[in-house]
C-alpha cells in the first residue's frame, strides 16, 4: 500500500514525467510579455532575453571597473562573476537602471492564479488518468 | 668435667661388648643429635634439651649456654654411658642385639621424624622402649618430656606412655634411686648385673657411677659444674619474649619450677617468632621430585600417554562448529606422534561433542617419551587455554575411563537441556502463532515470531503494535549497546537500517568491504560503508537488514587474514532507522526527510481528492521555483557571463594591454641596451682589457646566457675582430677540461702572433690533464728550442729577466719608433728636440736609461741608439768595423731583433692575461721548464702552491665578500675606472651589471617573490573553485625561488656547482632533488653503487627513515662539494607536509663562485675509511669524516 503523502508526491512526479513541468518552466522564461523593469516597460520581450542582456551589461560594467577580469582564467572568473550576480536574490540585476527585480518577478509568476488553475486542472486530469485517488478506507485507523 | 673428658674411652673401652652394638644406636643417636644440633643452628632449637638433663648429670656437667650447639654432646654421652652401663648389667644375650638394632632404628626414626616407618619395628621397639624408658625413669628421671625424642616416643608408642604413667617417680625429685625397685626389676628379668672392667684402674680413671650400688663414684675427683650455685638446680626454662617474670624483649632462660607447664620449644609462637634471629625461608610448597622414568623395575601403573581435550565453554564458542578433527590433530602433533585419536559424538543427535581423546606414542614404543609428550601437552595448557580455530579448549591428562565418560556425560546433558529449551520455545511460538494476537505475552516467543515473520518477509503485515514489539526485541537482541550511526556518515546512511561490524574485529581479522559484499550477496543491501568505527552494511529496506541479521549474525563466517586464516563467525549489530528506534527507545533523533515521511505515513493527510491535488500542485509550484532559479543560473546567466568575458568583445582593452606590454618590453630592452653600450664603451677604452664575459667560465654551458650576448658579439665583431678572437681564446684553463674537442682543436695553433698565451696554456694543462699531451709537448719543445738555440747565445739575460723589465712603453720610445718610420713626421715632431740650446755644454736629448745597468739586452741597445751618431759612437765603443758586422749577421739581425721583440711582447701579453685570469696572482717562473723536453721528465706532481698560480679554483681566498647591494655600488663605481681596482673580484667589477640593471634585478627579486606568492594563492583559489586536484595546477614553490646555478669542473673534486649570479646571504639557492627512498633501500643501493664502482654516491639523509638518492635521478644540487669553510648550508624544510632538502647561502656568494656546504659526515675511527678533504680551506680539517 502506498501512503497518501506519497500520493501527492507521486502525482507531482507524474506531472513532471508527462512534460507539463518543463513546459511551464520554459513558458515562464521564454514567454514574450510586458515586463516591467526599473526604467520602463519592455513589451514583447522574453525574460530569457532580458536576463541575457542584463547579464551582459552588468558584466561589461564589471569589466570596465576591473579590466583584469578578461585577462584572467575565464572559467573561474566567470564563476566568480556569476556568483556576484546571483547573490542576494539577483540584487545585481536590480541595481542597473534598466534592471529587473527578478525574485519578485518570479514569485509573481508563480503566484499567478491562472498558473495555479492550469496546474490544478492538469493534475486532476492526471490523477484520473493515473488512478491516483484518495482512499480513506485503506487506513488501518 | 673429667667424666666428660673421659667419655671416649669409656664408650669404646670396657663397657663395649658385641651385644651392645645395638646400643651403638645410642651412639648414632648421639651423632644424630649432633647433626640436629648442627641443623638447628640458627633455628632456635638450641637449649631445648636442658629440661631433659637429669639431676644426676647436672651435678657433673655444667649446663651449656643456650644456643650453643655442642652443649648436649656431653650430656648425651653421659647418658650413653649410663645406658651402656645399664645394659651391660643386663644379660647380654644375642636376642638383644637384634632388639638393640631395632632400637637403633627406632631411635633414628624418632630423631628423623620417620618413626612410623613400619609396624614391625614399632612392635619390637615397644618392648625395648618400655624397658629403656622405664630404665630411664628409674635410673635417670628426666624432666617431663623435655626432648624431642621422648616426646615423640610418648606420642607414638603407647607402651611408653604407660611406662610414664606407671612411673611413680616424680621427675623433678632428686632423691636417690630406689635399690629395691631395681632389685625387683632384676629379679623379674632374671638378669644379674655384672660389671666388666670393674677394676680399680678403670673405676678410678673412667667411671663416675656405679650401677650396682647406684651411686656416684669418684665424686671427689670430679669437679662440680655448679660450685658457685649460679645455675638453678632444676634447670632452665626458656620464656618467650614479653612473657614470664623478666618481661624481656628477647626470649631468655630462667630457673624453671616443676609446676611450670611444659612448652614445645619448636613452636615459633613460644620462642622463635619474636626472637631477633634470621628466619629460615620455608618453602611454600613441596618440591616435586624429578619424574622417574618408567621401566621394568617400576611398580604401579605405567604413566598416562593420553590426554582429553574438551571445550571450556560451549556457549561462548560460536566457532566450535568450525573446528575439525584434523585441526586438533595438527595442533597436538607438535608434542609427539599421535597413535590414537578419538572424537566423541552426541548419541542423541549424532552431532560432535568436540571432545577428543589423544594418545601419544613413539615408534620405538618408548612409553616414557609418549608420557612426556602427553605431560608437555597438558603442561603447556595449564595456565592458558588451548585455542584452536578461535575456540577455547581445556587439556587434561586422561586418568581413567570414568573421567572421559564424565566429561562426555556433562556435555550430552547440556545438549539435552538446550534441545529441550528450543523445543519449548518452538511450541510456545507455535501456540502463539496459531491462536491469539497478543504477542507480547511471552517475551521468549517474540524472538521466534520475529524470526518467523521476518524470514517470511511479511513484517509489513504486522500491526504497528507488533512492529513495535518486533523492533524493540530486535534492538535488545542485536544492538545491546544502542549503537548509532556516526554523524559523518549519516548523510550516506540516510536514516536507513544497517548492520554494523566493529573496526576492532574487522581490523584484527583483516576483513574488507569486499568480503562482506561477497558473502552478503543474497541479501539486498544498498552498499557498504567503511568507517573508522567499523563497517556499515546499509539496506534500503529495514526488513532485509532484519532478515540478514537474523540469519547470519554469528553464523556467517569469513576467512580471517590475521588469525591463522581460519573462518571466523561474524556478529552483526543491527542499527534500525532512527524513527523506528526513537519511538521505541525514547531518544530524540533529527527530523530528516525520511523521518518526516515516516511520521506522516501514519497520518491521513488528504481527506479528499481536492486536498491531494492541492498538495501536488503545491509540490509542483515549489519545484518550479527551484527549477526556474536553477535554469536562470545554469542556462542564462552562466553562459552569458562566460561569453561576455571573452576578450574579443573588448578590443580596446586588449589593445591597451598590448600597448602597455610593448612599452614594458621596450623599456626593458632600453635598459639592457644601455647596459650593453656601457660595456662596449668600457671595452673600447682598452682593447687589451679582458672583459668579464671573456672570462666567463660558464660560457660553455649556454643555457643560462642572456640574449644580449648575441648582440654584443655582433657589435664586437663589427668593431674589432681581434677582441672576439681574444674572447674566444681566453678561457679559464680549468674549464678546458670540460670540453675535450675544444682543447684539441685549439692546441695545434701555431700562430704565436695570434695567441701566444696558448703556449703557456698548454704547458700548464700538461700538469693537470694528460689529453693532447703529445701535441702540447711538441709545441712547448719547439718553442723552448727556438728560445734556447737562437737567443740564449745573444742575450740570455734578456729572456730570463724579462719579468723584471718594465713592460710599459714610454712616450720617447714611441717617438723614436715614429722617427725611424717617417722622416717628415720626424722633422715636425723632433723639431723641438733638435732645437739648439743656448747652453755651453751640449745637453743630451734622451736620458741615459742604461746608466748603472750591468747587462744590457740587445733590445735595450736598440732602443738607446736613436740615430747614426749614436750608432757611430757604439761602433767606436765596441771597436768593430762595418765589414765585421756585415759579415757576421747583417742578414739576420733584423729578423733576430724582430723575434726578440715579438717574444717580449708575447710575454708581456701573457703576463697581463695571466694576471687577469688569476686575480692578480703573478705567474711562478719556476713552472717554466728549461731543461729540455717535458717528456724526458715524465709525470711529476706539481705542488698545490704552484697550481694556485694558474688554477684559480685551486686557490682558496676566503676573503670576506661584499654584500650584494654594496657589490652593485662597486660595480657602478667600477664602470668609471676598472683598471684602478686590479684586485677587485671579477664579479664585483662586473661591467655589465650596471646600476639600473642590478637595481632592477634586486628590486624585482622581491617583487617576483611577492608575485609568486600571489600566483600561488590564485592557483589555490582556482583549485578550490574547480574542486578537483590537478597536476597542472600543482606548483613547486621551491623551483620558483631557485637561483641560477650551473655545474662545472671543480678543483675540490670532479664536478662542482657554481653560482651564475651573485647570491645574497640566507637566500635559497636550490633544492636537493632525488629519489626519496627508505633507509633499508638506501643501504642496499649504497652497497650496489660500491659494487658497481660508482664511487660518488649522492645519498642525502632527510631523517631517520628517509634518504634522497640523487645518483641516478636527481638535480644538479648533487654536484655541490664539501668544504670545511662552506658558502652554503643544507636545511631540511617541510613543504606541503613533506621534508625536503634545500641549500641556502650562508654568506654572500659572488658570481662564478663554487657553492659548497659542509657534509657533516660522522667521524670515522678507522683511518682507512676516512675520506680526505681537498677543499683547500685555511681551516680544512683534512678529512670529510
Amino acid at each position: 500500500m502506498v501512503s497518501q503523502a506519497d500520493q501527492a508526491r507521486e502525482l507531482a512526479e507524474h506531472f513532471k514525467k508527462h512534460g507539463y513541468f518543463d513546459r511551464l518552466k520554459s513558458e515562464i522564461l521564454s514567454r514574450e510579455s510586458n515586463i516591467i523593469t526599473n526604467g520602463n516597460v519592455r513589451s514583447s520581450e522574453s525574460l530569457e532575453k532580458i536576463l541575457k542582456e542584463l547579464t551582459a551589461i552588468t558584466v561589461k560594467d564589471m569589466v570596465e571597473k576591473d579590466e583584469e577580469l578578461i585577462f584572467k582564467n575565464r572559467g573561474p572568473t566567470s564563476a566568480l562573476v556569476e556568483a556576484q550576480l546571483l547573490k542576494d536574490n539577483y540584487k545585481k540585476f536590480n541595481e542597473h537602471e534598466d534592471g529587473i527585480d527578478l525574485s519578485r518577478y518570479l514569485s509573481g509568476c508563480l503566484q499567478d492564479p491562472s498558473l495555479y488553475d492550469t496546474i490544478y486542472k492538469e493534475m486532476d486530469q492526471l490523477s484520473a488518468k493515473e488512478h491516483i485517488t484518495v482512499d480513506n478506507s485503506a487506513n488501518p485507523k | 668435667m673429667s667424666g666428660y673428658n673421659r667419655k671416649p674411652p669409656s664408650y669404646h673401652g670396657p663397657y663395649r661388648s658385641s651385644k651392645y652394638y645395638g646400643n651403638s644406636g645410642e651412639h648414632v643417636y648421639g651423632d644424630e643429635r649432633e647433626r640436629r644440633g648442627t641443623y638447628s643452628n640458627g633455628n632456635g632449637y638450641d637449649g631445648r634439651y636442658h629440661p631433659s638433663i637429669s639431676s644426676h648429670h647436672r651435678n657433673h656437667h655444667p649446663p651449656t649456654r643456650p644456643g650453643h650447639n655442642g652443649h648436649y654432646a656431653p650430656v648425651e654421652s653421659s647418658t650413653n654411658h649410663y645406658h651402656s652401663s645399664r645394659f651391660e648389667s643386663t644379660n647380654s644375650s644375642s636376642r638383644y642385639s637384634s632388639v638393640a638394632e631395632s632400637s637403633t632404628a627406632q631411635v633414628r626414626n624418632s630423631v628423623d621424624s620417620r618413626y612410623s616407618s613400619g609396624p614391625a619395628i614399632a612392635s619390637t621397639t615397644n618392648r625395648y622402649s618400655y624397658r629403656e624408658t622405664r630404665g630411664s625413669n628409674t635410673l635417670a628421671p628426666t624432666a617431663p618430656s623435655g626432648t624431642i625424642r621422648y616426646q615423640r616416643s610418648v606420642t607414638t608408642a603407647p607402651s611408653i606412655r604407660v611406662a610414664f604413667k606407671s612411673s611413680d617417680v616424680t621427675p623433678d625429685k632428686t632423691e636417690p634411686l630406689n635399690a629395691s625397685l631395681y632389685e625387683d626389676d632384676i629379679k623379674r628379668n632374671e638378669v644379674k648385673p655384672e660389671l666388666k672392667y670393674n677394676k680399680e684402674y678403670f673405676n678410678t680413671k673412667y667411671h663416675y657411677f656405679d650401677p650396682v650400688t647406684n651411686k656416684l663414684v669418684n665424686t671427689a675427683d670430679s669437679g662440680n659444674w655448679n660450685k658457685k650455685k649460679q645455675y638453678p638446680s632444676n634447670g632452665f626454662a626458656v620464656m618467650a619474649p614479653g612473657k614470664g617474670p623478666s618481661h624481656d624483649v628477647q626470649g631468655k632462660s630462667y630457673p624453671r619450677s616443676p609446676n611450670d607447664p611444659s612448652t614445645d620449644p619448636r613452636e615459633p609462637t613460644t620462642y622463635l617468632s619474636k626472637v631477633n634471629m634470621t628466619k629460615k625461608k620455608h618453602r611454600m610448597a613441596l618440591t616435586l621430585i624429578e619424574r622417574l622414568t618408567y621401566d621394568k623395575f617400576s611398580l604401579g601403573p605405567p604413566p598416562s600417554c593420553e590426554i582429553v581435550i574438551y571445550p571450556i565453554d560451549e556457549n561462548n564458542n560460536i566457532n566450535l562448529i568450525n573446528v575439525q578433527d584434523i585441526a586438533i590433530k595438527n595442533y597436538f602433533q607438535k608434542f609427539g606422534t599421535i597413535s590414537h585419536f578419538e572424537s566423541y559424538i552426541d548419541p542423541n543427535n549424532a552431532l560432535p561433542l568436540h571432545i577428543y581423546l589423544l594418545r601419544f606414542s613413539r615408534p620405538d614404543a618408548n612409553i616414557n617419551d609418549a608420557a612426556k609428550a602427553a605431560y608437555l601437552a597438558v603442561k603447556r595448557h595449564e595456565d592458558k587455554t588451548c585455542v584452536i580455530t578461535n575456540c577455547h579448549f581445556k587439556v587434561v591428562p586422561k586418568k581413567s575411563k570414568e573421567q572421559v565418560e564424565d566429561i562426555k556425560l556433562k556435555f550430552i546433558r547440556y545438549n539435552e537441556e538446550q534441545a529441550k529449551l528450543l523445543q519449548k520455545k518452538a511450541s510456545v511460538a507455535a501456540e502463539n502463532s496459531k491462536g491469539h494476537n497478543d504477542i507480547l505475552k511471552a517475551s521468549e516467543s517474540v524472538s521466534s515470531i520475529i524470526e518467523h515473520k521476518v524470514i517470511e518477509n511479511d513484517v509489513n503485515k504486522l500491526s504497528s503494535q507488533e512492529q513495535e514489539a518486533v523492533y524493540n526485541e530486535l534492538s535488545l537482541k542485536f544492538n545491546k549497546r544502542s549503537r548509532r550511526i556516526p554523524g559523518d556518515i549519516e548523510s550516506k546512511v540516510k536514516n536507513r537500517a544497517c548492520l554494523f561490524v566493529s573496526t576492532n574485529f574487522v581490523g584484527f581479522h583483516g576483513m574488507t568491504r569486499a568480503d562482506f559484499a561477497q558473502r552478503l550477496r543474497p541479501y539486498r543491501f544498498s552498499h557498504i560503508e567503511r568507517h573508522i568505527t567499523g563497517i556499515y552494511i546499509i539496506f534500503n529496506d529495514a526488513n532485509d537488514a532484519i532478515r540478514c541479521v537474523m540469519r547470519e549474525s554469528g553464523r556467517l563466517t569469513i576467512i580471517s587474514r590475521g588469525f591463522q586464516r581460519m573462518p571466523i563467525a561474524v556478529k552483526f549489530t543491527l542499527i534500525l532507522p532512527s524513527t523506528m528506534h526513537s519511538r521505541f527507545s525514547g531518544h530524540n533523533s533529527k527530523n530528516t526527510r525520511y523521518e518526516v515521511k515516516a511520521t506522516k505515513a501514519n497520518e491521513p493527510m488528504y481527506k479528499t481528492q481536492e486536498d491531494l491535488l492541492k498538495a501536488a500542485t503545491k509540490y509542483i509550484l515549489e519545484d518550479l521555483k527551484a527549477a526556474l532559479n536553477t535554469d536562470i543560473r545554469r542556462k542564462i546567466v552562466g553562459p552569458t557571463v562566460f561569453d561576455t568575458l571573452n576578450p574579443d568583445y573588448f578590443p580596446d582593452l586588449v589593445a591597451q594591454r598590448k600597448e602597455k606590454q610593448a612599452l614594458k618590453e621596450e623599456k626593458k630592452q632600453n635598459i639592457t641596451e644601455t647596459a650593453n653600450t656601457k660595456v662596449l664603451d668600457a671595452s673600447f677604452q682598452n682593447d687589451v682589457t679582458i672583459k668579464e664575459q671573456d672570462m666567463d667560465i660558464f660560457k660553455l654551458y649556454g643555457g643560462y646566457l642572456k640574449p644580449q650576448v648575441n648582440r654584443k658579439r655582433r657589435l664586437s665583431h663589427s668593431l674589432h675582430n681581434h677582441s672576439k678572437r681574444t674572447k674566444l681564446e681566453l678561457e679559464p684553463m680549468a674549464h678546458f677540461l670540460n670540453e675535450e674537442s675544444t682543447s684539441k682543436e685549439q692546441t695545434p695553433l701555431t700562430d704565436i702572433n695570434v695567441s701566444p698565451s696558448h703556449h703557456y696554456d698548454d704547458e700548464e694543462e700538461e700538469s693537470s690533464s694528460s689529453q693532447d699531451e703529445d701535441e702540447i709537448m711538441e709545441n712547448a719543445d719547439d718553442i723552448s728550442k727556438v728560445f734556447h738555440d737562437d737567443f740564449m747565445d745573444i742575450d740570455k739575460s734578456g729572456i730570463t729577466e724579462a719579468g723584471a723589465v718594465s713592460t710599459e712603453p714610454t712616450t720617447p720610445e714611441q717617438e723614436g719608433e715614429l722617427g725611424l718610420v717617417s722622416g717628415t713626421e720626424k722633422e715636425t715632431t723632433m723639431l723641438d728636440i733638435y732645437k739648439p740650446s743656448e747652453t755651453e755644454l751640449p745637453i743630451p736629448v734622451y736620458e741615459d736609461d742604461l746608466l748603472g745597468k750591468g747587462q744590457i739586452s740587445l733590445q735595450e741597445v736598440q732602443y738607446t741608439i736613436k740615430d747614426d751618431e749614436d750608432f757611430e759612437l757604439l761602433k767606436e765603443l765596441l771597436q768593430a768595423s762595418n765589414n765585421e758586422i756585415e759579415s757576421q749577421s747583417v742578414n739576420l739581425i733584423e729578423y733576430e731583433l724582430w723575434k726578440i721583440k715579438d717574444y717580449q711582447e708575447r710575454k708581456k701579453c701573457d703576463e697581463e692575461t695571466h694576471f687577469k685570469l688569476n686575480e692578480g696572482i703573478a705567474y711562478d717562473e719556476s713552472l717554466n721548464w728549461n731543461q729540455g723536453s717535458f717528456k724526458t721528465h715524465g709525470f711529476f706532481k706539481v705542488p698545490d702552491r704552484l697550481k694556485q698560480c694558474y688554477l684559480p679554483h685551486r686557490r682558496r681566498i676566503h676573503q670576506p665578500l661584499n654584500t650584494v647591494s654594496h657589490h652593485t655600488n662597486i660595480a657602478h663605481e667600477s664602470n668609471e675606472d676598472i683598471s684602478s681596482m686590479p684586485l677587485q673580484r671579477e664579479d664585483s667589477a662586473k661591467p655589465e651589471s650596471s646600476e639600473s640593471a642590478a637595481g632592477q634585478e634586486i628590486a624585482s627579486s622581491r617583487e617576483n617573490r611577492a608575485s609568486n606568492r600571489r600566483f600561488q594563492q590564485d592557483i589555490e583559489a582556482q583549485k578550490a573553485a574547480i574542486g578537483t586536484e590537478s597536476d597542472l595546477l600543482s606548483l613547486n614553490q621551491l623551483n620558483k625561488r631557485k637561483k641560477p646555478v650551473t655545474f662545472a669542473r671543480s678543483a675540490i673534486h670532479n664536478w662542482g656547482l657554481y653560482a651564475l649570479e651573485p647570491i645574497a646571504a640566507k637566500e635559497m639557492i636550490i633544492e636537493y632533488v632525488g629519489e626519496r627512498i627508505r633507509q633499508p633501500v638506501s643501504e642496499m643501493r649504497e652497497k650496489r653503487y660500491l659494487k658497481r664502482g660508482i664511487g660518488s654516491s649522492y645519498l642525502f639523509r632527510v631523517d631517520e627513515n628517509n634518504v634522497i638518492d640523487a645518483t641516478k635521478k636527481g638535480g644538479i644540487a648533487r654536484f655541490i662539494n664539501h668544504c670545511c669553510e662552506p658558502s652554503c648550508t643544507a636545511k631540511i624544510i617541510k613543504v606541503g607536509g613533506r621534508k625536503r632538502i634545500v641549500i641556502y647561502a650562508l654568506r654572500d656568494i659572488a658570481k662564478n663562485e663554487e657553492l659548497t656546504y659542509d657534509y657533516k659526515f660522522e667521524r670515522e675511527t678507522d683511518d682507512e675509511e676516512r675520506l680526505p678533504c681537498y677543499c683547500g680551506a685555511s681551516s680544512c680539517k683534512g678529512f670529510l669524516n
Side-chain angles (χ1 to χ4, degrees), chain B residues 328-372:
Chain B
I328 304 288
K329 263 189 185 178
N330 288 338
Y331 182 81
F332 284 97
Q333 260 178 355
K334 62 186 176 186
F335 296 104
T337 310
I338 298 169
S339 63
H340 176 74
F341 180 83
E342 193 172 354
S343 173
Y344 299 103
I345 58 170
D346 193 340
N348 297 324
N349 50 23
L351 291 173
L353 287 171
H354 300 291
I355 301 170
Y356 307 97
L357 179 68
L358 271 175
R359 186 184 302 142
F360 291 99
S361 72
R362 290 285 170 147
D364 53 356
N366 188 350
I367 194 169
N368 287 311
D369 290 342
K372 190 176 179 182

Side-chain angles (χ1 to χ4, degrees), chain A residues 16 25 68 74 86 90, chain B residues 623 629 631 633 642 657:
Chain A
K16 288 179 184 174
K25 191 174 65 180
E68 287 294 320
R74 196 145 49 121
L86 301 178
Y90 311 101
Chain B
D623 291 351
N629 285 323
D631 274 15
R633 183 167 62 86
F642 189 82
R657 181 88 171 184

Side-chain angles (χ1 to χ4, degrees), chain A residues 49-66:
Chain A
K49 189 183 173 187
I50 292 171
L51 279 180
K52 279 185 179 176
E53 284 177 5
L54 265 177
T55 306
I57 292 166
T58 317
V59 170
K60 279 179 183 173
D61 288 347
M62 290 167 81
V63 170
E64 279 178 10
K65 287 176 186 173
D66 183 11

Side-chain angles (χ1 to χ4, degrees), chain A residues 4 8-9 15-16 21 25 55 67-68 70 74 82 86 90 110 119-120 123 127 132-134 136, chain B residues 605-610 612 617 619-620 623-625 629 631 633 638 641-642 647 653 657 1022:
Chain A
Q4 287 179 345
R9 176 59 65 182
F15 185 84
K16 288 179 184 174
F21 186 81
K25 191 174 65 180
T55 306
E67 62 185 32
E68 287 294 320
I70 57 169
R74 196 145 49 121
E82 184 188 322
L86 301 178
Y90 311 101
L110 293 173
I119 296 170
Y120 188 86
M123 283 281 185
S127 65
I132 301 172
T133 54
V134 176
N136 285 331
Chain B
M605 296 289 291
Y606 316 113
K607 293 178 182 176
T608 60
Q609 182 72 12
E610 192 179 357
L612 176 67
T617 310
Y619 281 142
I620 288 296
D623 291 351
L624 190 60
K625 188 179 179 184
N629 285 323
D631 274 15
R633 183 167 62 86
V641 169
F642 189 82
L653 291 175
R657 181 88 171 184
Q1022 287 183 11

Side-chain angles (χ1 to χ4, degrees), chain B residues 100 295 424 434 490 620 1010 1018:
Chain B
D295 53 15
K424 191 179 173 184
K434 278 178 187 175
E490 262 185 354
I620 288 296
D1018 283 348

Side-chain angles (χ1 to χ4, degrees), chain A residues 78-91:
Chain A
S78 62
L80 292 171
V81 171
E82 184 188 322
Q84 291 288 321
L85 296 176
L86 301 178
K87 202 167 68 175
D88 297 335
N89 289 329
Y90 311 101
K91 191 181 172 185

